[in-house]
Amino acid sequence: MHVPDGFINAPVSVAAGAVAATAVAVSLRGARRELDERTAPLAGLVAAFIFAVQMLNFPVAAGTSGHLLGGALAAILVGPYTGVLCVSVVLLMQGILFADGGLTALGVNITVMAVVTTVVAYVVFRGLVKLLPKKRRSITVSAFIAAVLSVPAAAAAFTLVYAIGGTTDVPIGQVLTAMVGVHVLIGIGEAAITALTVGAVIAVRPDLVYGARGLTAPLKLRVGGELVDAPAAEPIPVAARSHRKVWLAGLAASLVLAGFVSFYASASPDGLEKVAADKGIDAKVEDHAAADSPLADYGIEGLTDSRLSGGLAGVIGVGVTVVAGTGVFWAVRRRRTSETSPSSTADLAENV
């Protein structure tokens, strides 16, 4: 659903940019509360994983493909504010380095793909986990449903933006029907990836899943035919729990997906490309400003071997995204630490 340059007129693109900038600013502040000893080391990895999985277009129907958007996955794993930042980092890397998603449309893409998906998914997810039994299976079920709904919500949001600032005159009702229809199907694929990933992390380290915190029911033991609460286990300090194995496993998976599995991704146009071609909303599409990038279209300029070219581009993308994301999130984390340090607390007490 990467919107290229030329789909949306300049005034609406500027307005969407302002909305996106505001959302990112709010998310930077909110992420200070989310990025603790557990989420801070993994947030950059989540961004890199989303980048890698977005390279894996899967077939949907009638010559159309889809790929992960990632808002639901990021929100559940590391929190909604940090989730918006994760997807925004991915979109920025894709737009600048790989000519994927227009630069003038970056505000539209962040608003639709990062903000709408994350907010819708997390609201649905939190509502469901409060209603369902406090079990690990409830987390994965809630993640699945939240991800399914987040994708057509983003498609509807794009249609609204296009209705306001589209550069071609097409029946908006037809665009809405086509966009939501195909993205419901894509949402099923998104939901499967999200639920499987969240379930895998919960199975290994449930304490690392932001959306699962505080949702574990107490362990019960049957004594004399009655269920009683089991004695509480001695808690392991968060700082003592190494994230290294999870981080390395996640990075390895991202590199394999982007560097090898991506070669087998569907070559069919994605949902937006298909609808744009069918409905004529791409009549005024513009060439990407970074079309001459050596990594444009997820390939290495000068390499004739498509498998090697795409694989190396994917590996580079994962590396750049994990470095950029980790840098952003550690900076936000340090800002939180400095604001809550003993010296700052003492200064506040003196002022009071």
Side-chain angles (χ1 to χ4, degrees):
M1 201 184 296
H2 294 76
V3 180
D5 294 320
F7 272 27
I8 308 299
N9 63 33
V12 174
S13 295
V14 171
V19 172
T22 301
V24 169
V26 171
S27 297
L28 285 169
R29 293 184 63 85
R32 297 178 195 172
R33 300 188 296 272
E34 295 173 347
L35 291 169
D36 55 18
E37 293 85 353
R38 289 171 285 185
T39 52
L42 298 178
L45 176 62
V46 169
F49 183 77
I50 290 173
F51 174 91
V53 181
Q54 282 197 3
M55 293 183 66
L56 309 180
N57 280 49
F58 49 85
V60 178
T64 308
S65 69
H67 63 70
L68 182 81
L69 296 184
L73 178 62
I76 295 166
L77 288 180
V78 293
Y81 294 107
T82 308
V84 169
L85 298 178
C86 282
V87 181
S88 297
V89 168
V90 173
L91 293 172
L92 183 62
M93 295 299 102
Q94 290 171 332
I96 293 176
L97 298 179
F98 297 92
D100 189 10
L103 295 183
T104 62
L106 183 60
V108 174
N109 284 322
I110 289 177
T111 300
V112 171
M113 296 178 65
V115 179
V116 172
T117 58
T118 302
V119 171
V120 170
Y122 198 71
V123 169
V124 172
F125 174 81
R126 293 302 301 177
L128 288 173
V129 294
K130 290 180 180 179
L131 296 175
L132 297 176
K134 292 185 177 181
K135 298 180 179 180
R136 291 182 180 179
R137 182 177 299 177
S138 298
I139 303 298
T140 54
V141 169
S142 299
F144 185 95
I145 297 173
V148 165
L149 296 178
S150 70
V151 178
F158 164 77
T159 306
L160 175 61
V161 173
Y162 195 84
I164 299 172
T167 54
T168 56
D169 186 14
V170 297
I172 294 301
Q174 294 181 15
V175 175
L176 177 63
T177 301
M179 283 292 292
V180 172
V182 71
H183 283 91
V184 166
L185 300 177
I186 294 173
I188 297 173
E190 172 109 9
I193 295 170
T194 300
L196 287 172
T197 305
V198 171
V201 179
I202 286 180
V204 179
R205 289 288 301 274
D207 60 298
L208 296 181
V209 179
Y210 181 90
R213 296 181 187 179
L215 298 175
T216 304
L219 180 64
K220 298 285 186 180
L221 296 178
R222 186 174 296 278
V223 179
E226 296 182 359
L227 290 177
V228 298
D229 291 339
E234 186 69 23
I236 302 174
V238 173
R241 302 177 183 179
S242 174
H243 305 128
R244 184 176 181 181
K245 291 183 179 179
V246 174
W247 196 92
L248 290 175
L251 181 61
S254 300
L255 292 171
V256 170
L257 291 173
F260 177 72
V261 181
S262 62
F263 179 77
Y264 301 97
S266 172
S268 299
D270 65 23
L272 177 58
E273 291 173 333
K274 179 66 173 176
V275 173
D278 290 346
K279 304 302 179 183
I281 64 178
D282 60 352
K284 296 185 179 180
V285 66
E286 300 173 1
D287 292 335
H288 199 286
D292 295 330
S293 167
L295 297 173
D297 297 324
Y298 298 93
I300 303 293
E301 185 178 10
L303 279 182
T304 56
D305 187 319
S306 59
R307 183 190 296 269
L308 179 60
S309 177
L312 285 177
V315 168
I316 292 171
V318 168
V320 172
T321 304
V322 75
V323 170
T326 300
V328 169
F329 298 125
W330 272 115
V332 175
R333 170 64 180 158
R334 284 197 299 269
R335 181 71 177 271
R336 168 184 170 171
T337 302
S338 64
E339 289 179 351
T340 59
S341 63
S343 59
S344 63
T345 304
D347 291 341
L348 178 61
E350 291 176 2
N351 292 333
V352 173

